[in-house]
Amino acid sequence: MATEARTAPVVRTDKQPRRRRDSTRTLAVFGALVLLVVAAVLSLAVGSRALSPSVVFDALLHDDGSTAASVIWDVRVPRTLAGIAAGAALGVAGALIQALTRNPLADPGLLGINAGAATGVVLSITALGITSLWASVWFAMAGAVVAGLLVYSLASGGRGGATPERLALGGAVIAAVFTGIGQTLMLLDAQALDQLRFWSVGSLARADSETLTTITPFVVVGLVMALALVRPLNALALGDDGARALGAHVDRTRLVGLVAVTLLCGAATSAVGPLVFVGLAVPHIARLIAGADQRWTLPLSMLLAPALLLCADVLGRVAVRPDELDAGVVTAVVGAPVFIALVRYRKAVSA
């Protein structure tokens, strides 16, 4: 009599691969944090006057009024903290925009927020004669908010609400309008043109404690709103119908996301100018490391972007000593080939 071969039932589970994947992502976040700390130390130590790490730490712990302490506390600490705040804002804003529009080539300038902020700065100079960076920050924020409201109004009109396509098209229209207004005003006012040509490149050199105090609340609120959207954003990756089937509120998610982008881009742009490639390339690097899960992409972008910005700023300080290259120039020169290589390698990592 034939006997049946007995085999143990196969239990398939993805818990172990998932745990390994989460462990790898956790390690990546920790590595990004370490990289940010190293970049911050370099930002405090490197400049026209190089300082050793021991001198930096001693000056941070004991402000004795020495020249080194004055350089660190009055110049480099505000500059470093502004780079961290602006970098985190641009990195998360870029990841958020790419997720909201489902467009891996979207960046913080796509929705017209940068153009609105720039126009606000131009108006503050031409209409009111304001030259203080601290005062112009408020006008930049106002311009960013107006641009965000106009983009959402255009995108949400008609059937279907604010779809990714309408957000992108509305942002392109508003960006073109505000850019035209700003350039016209600059051509009519030589003072505005002279002041804006430095700001428009993107630089951390003018950041001070007042500017940092002004933008920090906007950045913190924007980051909290963005991180609160990680689950709905993961649902939106399946399309509007799939997101609704999973219980996500599509229109509310896009509205809250646009508000977060407006706060983040407006604050960062008003303080350091419209930096390029930070909000575009960093989310791709984050997805390359951690995949498309926004629970990991957003935190990684929040850490990698300021590390990249601070490294670019440090490189700009030493590249043409005793002069400096603005961080915006360095990110453009270095970021463009890196991003091209990244896109060619990954065929534009899906958002």
Side-chain angles (χ1 to χ4, degrees):
M1 189 170 100
T3 59
E4 294 182 358
R6 294 183 179 181
T7 58
V10 178
V11 179
R12 296 183 178 179
T13 176
D14 60 349
K15 288 185 178 181
Q16 290 182 349
R18 184 182 301 173
R19 288 174 182 171
R20 286 196 297 268
R21 189 164 56 246
D22 289 345
S23 298
T24 302
R25 290 167 171 172
T26 303
L27 184 62
V29 171
F30 179 75
L33 180 59
V34 172
L35 179 62
L36 177 57
V37 172
V38 172
V41 172
L42 288 174
S43 179
L44 293 174
V46 177
S48 57
R49 176 178 178 176
L51 301 173
S52 65
S54 61
V55 173
V56 171
F57 287 120
D58 185 62
L60 290 175
L61 296 176
H62 307 96
D63 185 3
D64 55 5
S66 63
T67 302
S70 298
V71 168
I72 289 174
W73 282 106
D74 297 338
V75 179
R76 295 185 184 176
V77 166
R79 184 170 183 167
T80 301
L81 293 178
I84 293 173
L90 291 174
V92 172
L96 197 55
I97 291 172
Q98 291 174 11
L100 289 173
T101 61
R102 296 199 289 272
N103 180 358
L105 298 180
D107 71 338
L110 179 68
L111 299 183
I113 308 298
N114 290 351
T119 303
V121 174
V122 173
L123 285 174
S124 71
I125 297 172
T126 57
L128 302 176
I130 293 175
T131 57
S132 168
L133 177 62
W134 174 81
S136 64
V137 165
W138 293 101
F139 288 88
M141 283 300 306
V145 170
V146 170
L149 290 174
L150 290 175
V151 169
Y152 189 78
S153 298
L154 286 176
S156 60
R159 299 178 59 184
T163 63
E165 294 80 9
R166 288 182 177 178
L167 282 173
L169 290 174
V173 170
I174 296 302
V177 171
F178 274 108
T179 299
I181 294 173
Q183 290 180 346
T184 301
L185 292 174
M186 283 192 293
L187 290 175
L188 296 176
D189 191 315
Q191 181 185 4
L193 179 61
D194 185 61
Q195 185 165 342
L196 263 295
R197 66 191 177 97
F198 295 104
W199 178 84
S200 62
V201 174
S203 173
L204 301 178
R206 295 181 60 198
D208 53 25
S209 56
E210 289 184 337
T211 304
L212 184 64
T213 303
T214 303
I215 69 168
T216 298
F218 298 103
V219 173
V220 171
V221 173
L223 291 177
V224 170
M225 294 176 65
L227 294 175
L229 293 176
V230 290
R231 293 187 182 277
L233 289 175
N234 281 336
L236 279 181
L238 302 176
D240 289 2
D241 293 336
R244 291 189 180 96
L246 292 175
H249 298 276
V250 174
D251 293 334
R252 185 173 67 187
T253 299
R254 289 205 176 102
L255 176 59
V256 175
L258 182 59
V259 172
V261 168
T262 301
L263 293 175
L264 294 171
C265 289
T269 304
S270 63
V272 301
L275 293 165
V276 297
F277 284 108
V278 176
L280 176 62
V282 168
H284 282 267
I285 299 174
R287 286 194 295 271
L288 179 65
I289 297 171
D293 190 341
Q294 299 298 330
R295 293 176 300 174
W296 298 96
T297 300
L298 289 182
L300 266 176
S301 298
M302 185 171 61
L303 296 173
L304 290 173
L308 170 65
L309 181 54
L310 290 179
C311 289
D313 187 46
V314 170
L315 182 59
R317 298 182 207 177
V318 300
V320 290
R321 278 180 175 176
D323 297 323
E324 287 190 12
L325 282 177
D326 290 327
V329 175
V330 178
T331 57
V333 172
V334 177
V338 172
F339 181 71
I340 291 173
L342 183 66
V343 171
R344 286 176 62 87
Y345 173 68
R346 289 298 300 262
K347 303 294 185 182
V349 184
S350 174

